[in-house]
Amino acid sequence: MKNIILFGPPGSGKGTQADLLMSKNSLDHISTGDVFRRNIKNSTDLGKLASEYMDNGQLVPDKVTVDLLSSELERFPNSKGFIFDGFPRTVPQAQELDKLFERKNMNLDIVLSLEVSEGELVKRLLKRGVNSGRKDDQNKDIILNRIQVYNKQTSILKDYYIKKLNHSFYAINGEREVNLILDDINSIISNY
Ligand code: AMP
């Protein structure tokens, strides 16, 4: 089993890379953002709660997100491994993921951090807002807020995982062509 965290600010290409990686590597893709958006579309209670935070570019509370992640894992009992996209985003989430792995006898193998400059992120997200209709990509202030939340609450997880995994933490230049980034990631994964 191979478990990978795809880490990076909003707009760094996590979802794009995760989609391309999952089929080639027979991994299951868990995106907490996608699950929240599915719940919003289906007007569930969870969706209503999540949209209050997502619409403003804030993080959904840890307890709600961890419970969701835990039940998503149950959906793939025969998984050969997971790509976590957009989770964890806070230190408590990372600690809960550690506990979850321990309970399930799973290991975290690789953390890949996609590095993209702030100017490029804003450009990409505004473009995605036009193409995808995602509400939180359509307003520059909300985009900047999400990047600020990432810088304040999420980027500290790099240190957390460098300490925890040492050589299995990889910073990747995410400001290149999609296929070049994918090649780099695939060559890293092939060593595990
Ligand atoms: P994403 O699709 O990963 O960009 O996530 C979109 C939004 O969903 C975020 O701005 C948060 O409001 C919410 N979200 C997704 N994943 C998490 C998480 N791990 N913790 C808290 N909120 C999350």
Side-chain angles (χ1 to χ4, degrees), residues 24-39:
K24 181 166 190 253
N25 297 281
S26 313
L27 300 171
D28 295 303
H29 174 198
I30 297 187
S31 155
T32 40
D34 283 351
V35 182
F36 286 137
R37 278 184 289 277
R38 224 170 24 241
N39 275 275

Side-chain angles (χ1 to χ4, degrees), residues 51-80:
S51 71
E52 286 172 27
Y53 297 91
M54 291 171 76
D55 289 352
N56 300 313
Q58 298 295 338
L59 295 183
V60 178
D62 285 335
K63 168 91 174 73
V64 177
T65 309
V66 168
D67 287 350
L68 172 98
L69 192 275
S70 165
S71 64
E72 276 297 296
L73 284 180
E74 301 300 326
R75 289 182 51 221
F76 304 94
N78 302 315
S79 183
K80 296 200 169 88

Side-chain angles (χ1 to χ4, degrees), residues 11 28 83 91 98 143:
D28 295 303
I83 302 174
V91 171
D98 286 347
I143 289 174

Side-chain angles (χ1 to χ4, degrees), residues 172-192:
I172 293 170
N173 175 359
E175 225 166 307
R176 294 173 296 155
E177 230 187 87
V178 169
N179 281 322
L180 292 179
I181 301 169
L182 182 65
D183 288 348
D184 273 6
I185 295 179
N186 272 323
S187 76
I188 292 169
I189 293 180
S190 66
N191 291 322
Y192 286 81

Side-chain angles (χ1 to χ4, degrees), residues 24-142:
K24 181 166 190 253
N25 297 281
S26 313
L27 300 171
D28 295 303
H29 174 198
I30 297 187
S31 155
T32 40
D34 283 351
V35 182
F36 286 137
R37 278 184 289 277
R38 224 170 24 241
N39 275 275
I40 290 172
K41 202 167 154 211
N42 295 332
S43 304
T44 66
D45 288 343
L46 174 65
K48 278 176 209 142
L49 176 81
S51 71
E52 286 172 27
Y53 297 91
M54 291 171 76
D55 289 352
N56 300 313
Q58 298 295 338
L59 295 183
V60 178
D62 285 335
K63 168 91 174 73
V64 177
T65 309
V66 168
D67 287 350
L68 172 98
L69 192 275
S70 165
S71 64
E72 276 297 296
L73 284 180
E74 301 300 326
R75 289 182 51 221
F76 304 94
N78 302 315
S79 183
K80 296 200 169 88
F82 293 96
I83 302 174
F84 295 93
D85 155 12
F87 185 96
R89 264 174 152 102
T90 63
V91 171
Q93 288 182 16
Q95 289 167 337
E96 288 302 320
L97 186 64
D98 286 347
K99 286 187 208 157
L100 212 64
F101 274 169
E102 215 175 290
R103 278 205 299 277
K104 290 181 157 293
N105 245 329
M106 287 163 63
N107 276 321
L108 175 60
D109 298 289
I110 314 168
V111 175
L112 301 161
S113 172
L114 293 171
E115 309 283 332
V116 176
S117 66
E118 187 165 323
E120 174 69 14
L121 293 174
V122 174
K123 228 168 37 191
R124 286 186 190 180
L125 290 169
L126 283 171
K127 190 167 163 204
R128 189 169 73 184
V130 174
N131 297 333
S132 75
R134 254 181 77 166
K135 240 182 176 174
D136 56 349
D137 284 341
Q138 290 177 1
N139 176 310
K140 192 166 176 192
D141 288 338
I142 293 177

